[in-house]
Amino acid sequence: MPDAIQLVIVTPERQLLSFSVSEVTLPGAEGELGVLPGHAPLITELGIGELTYRGTYGDVPQTTGETVEQEFGPGDWRPHVAIIRGFAEILGDRVTVLAETAERPEEIDIERAKAALERAEKRIAAGAGAQDIDWDRATGALQRALIRLKVAEYAPRKRSVAVPGQ
């Protein structure tokens, strides 16, 4: 049985990542789905949610010049990706995510997500008495804004690390 899974996330615009990981958690249309190496083959629909994956220091990509310990802390790491609908193909050694939208935490425009959340909340609140509101569209906009804001909280931040002896 393999001890790693190749995770590939693509959108219509780009390939977000292709990375060897030890586990993946996907936002399935009907709830979360955990995938480990050797998983049974499966094709599933994705909803709006948070995708996470786990790896170890040896596999961590370097970002913004920080060391792995500064960015992720000790032990293994669990990055987060906002997924907005799509499909996933799961094989024993590979998970391919075809998402309408996929964003890393540092890519999310927090102010834009907050504005979208306010608009969605107003639309839903005003629509309580209106018959012409598209509830699916309004609740979808609310879910997208909420998941973007949640995932944005995981954006790497510069941390000052004390140097011993100084």
Side-chain angles (χ1 to χ4, degrees):
M1 183 161 86
D3 61 347
I5 308 166
Q6 184 70 23
L7 173 62
V8 178
I9 302 176
V10 295
T11 69
E13 293 83 28
R14 65 186 175 145
Q15 178 175 312
L16 185 70
L17 64 86
S18 178
F19 204 66
S20 182
V21 300
S22 59
E23 93 181 50
V24 179
T25 303
L26 302 163
E30 300 298 322
E32 280 191 353
L33 173 66
V35 180
L36 296 171
H39 195 286
L42 171 71
I43 294 180
T44 188
E45 183 180 0
L46 299 176
I48 298 170
E50 184 175 5
L51 179 147
T52 61
Y53 54 96
R54 184 181 301 241
T56 57
Y57 278 166
D59 300 326
V60 176
Q62 296 297 311
T63 59
T64 64
E66 293 186 12
T67 67
V68 171
E69 292 81 8
Q70 287 173 311
E71 187 168 339
F72 296 107
D76 36 32
W77 50 282
R78 185 176 286 276
H80 300 258
V81 177
I83 298 291
I84 311 297
R85 296 191 182 90
F87 293 91
E89 177 189 42
I90 299 166
L91 302 173
D93 63 347
R94 183 179 181 93
V95 175
T96 304
V97 173
L98 307 170
E100 287 180 22
T101 304
E103 297 170 296
R104 291 185 176 110
E106 62 272 13
E107 298 172 332
I108 295 171
D109 182 338
I110 295 172
E111 294 307 314
R112 184 173 171 227
K114 285 180 181 178
L117 177 62
E118 284 182 32
R119 284 191 309 271
E121 287 173 336
K122 285 179 184 176
R123 191 176 310 132
I124 289 170
Q131 295 180 3
D132 62 339
I133 188 169
D134 184 345
W135 287 105
D136 289 339
R137 186 171 175 212
T139 57
L142 181 71
Q143 288 177 319
R144 287 190 302 274
L146 287 171
I147 201 62
R148 282 185 170 122
L149 289 171
K150 180 180 178 187
V151 169
E153 293 176 6
Y154 296 101
R157 290 168 182 78
K158 298 268 186 208
R159 298 184 186 124
S160 59
V161 178
V163 177
Q166 289 189 356

